[in-house]
Amino acid sequence: MIIFRDTFTGDELFTDSNKITKVGNNEVFRVTCVEKVTTENANFDIGANASAEEAAEELQETVVKGVDIVIQQHLEECTNDYPLKLYNAFLKTYFKRIIAGIMESDLSDEDKKAQSNSFKEEAVKFTSLVKKNFDEIQFFRFPIDYEDPKDIDGFIIPLHRCSETDVITMWFFRRGLKEEKC
């Protein structure tokens, strides 16, 4: 199994158990998600002994419905009124950090330039795709611990539910991911 983590925070984003499609110059991963319904038993044990006169208390079941990656990674949805202008500002900063990573790598100057240009080309296509489908996209991120600066650096993940096909996808930048084999 391969776990894909956020390069900047180390948070686990998804695994290869999801269908992954590499888009364009392999700079963007489109990850197919599934709608999931799970039940979780909640035991509210407060340490008291069960009454001998009453039947044993049963566990309460909680039903959780949502997208598999969102549920598994405990992602939070960004507010519904998340404006395109704010997301574009986030992407601009995020893209600069990825390009800085390419430029700081051990590659030759020629390879750095080629990879940087490839990434920029796909970043422009991705930004256009988000603009085109903005009203159909939800945005998710890990819960933020404002006392830990690396938490604020994590990727804001777009989720698109295609109204025509009911396919749910999330998009990630390959250079914003670290692969970890288990």
Side-chain angles (χ1 to χ4, degrees):
M1 173 188 283
I2 299 174
I3 296 173
F4 293 88
R5 295 187 179 278
D6 187 302
T7 297
F8 303 109
T9 65
D11 291 324
E12 181 180 326
L13 295 170
F14 60 97
T15 68
D16 63 348
S17 63
N18 292 82
K19 179 183 173 192
I20 302 167
T21 306
K22 295 177 181 176
V23 180
N25 299 336
N26 294 331
E27 294 290 348
V28 176
F29 287 180
R30 185 177 58 224
V31 179
T32 303
C33 306
V34 294
E35 197 74 41
K36 184 176 180 180
V37 178
T38 61
T39 56
E40 298 174 352
N41 290 328
N43 184 357
F44 298 101
D45 184 10
I46 58 172
N49 292 332
S51 172
E53 298 161 359
E54 294 181 25
E57 295 180 26
E58 293 187 25
L59 297 177
Q60 257 187 348
E61 283 194 349
T62 304
V63 176
V64 179
K65 180 181 177 186
V67 175
D68 58 349
I69 293 175
V70 173
I71 292 170
Q72 292 160 359
Q73 306 310 332
H74 306 286
L75 299 176
E76 291 181 344
E77 184 173 6
C78 298
T79 59
N80 288 341
D81 58 348
Y82 193 70
L84 179 60
K85 185 176 179 179
L86 184 61
Y87 192 65
N88 283 338
F90 163 78
L91 286 177
K92 186 176 179 179
T93 303
Y94 187 77
F95 294 160
K96 284 181 183 179
R97 290 173 47 219
I98 289 179
I99 290 170
I102 295 169
M103 294 309 193
E104 293 169 4
S105 69
D106 294 335
L107 298 170
S108 69
D109 288 345
E110 187 176 303
D111 286 344
K112 288 178 185 179
K113 185 175 181 179
Q115 289 192 19
S116 176
N117 288 339
S118 174
F119 175 76
K120 288 176 185 177
E121 181 181 313
E122 291 302 317
V124 168
K125 290 178 186 176
F126 174 80
T127 305
S128 297
L129 179 69
V130 169
K131 282 182 185 178
K132 177 182 168 192
N133 296 294
F134 192 76
D135 292 337
E136 298 176 3
I137 294 176
Q138 294 172 273
F139 296 94
F140 291 89
R141 71 174 311 137
F142 280 91
I144 296 175
D145 176 1
Y146 288 98
E147 293 179 17
D148 186 355
K150 79 172 180 71
D151 268 4
I152 300 169
D153 294 337
F155 186 55
I156 298 174
I157 308 160
L159 178 142
H160 180 249
R161 295 173 189 263
C162 183
S163 55
E164 298 160 2
T165 62
D166 291 333
V167 173
I168 304 168
T169 55
M170 293 181 117
W171 298 304
F172 301 89
F173 285 95
R174 176 178 62 91
R175 295 184 188 278
L177 300 171
K178 286 190 285 190
E179 293 183 24
E180 179 181 301
K181 293 184 181 182
C182 292

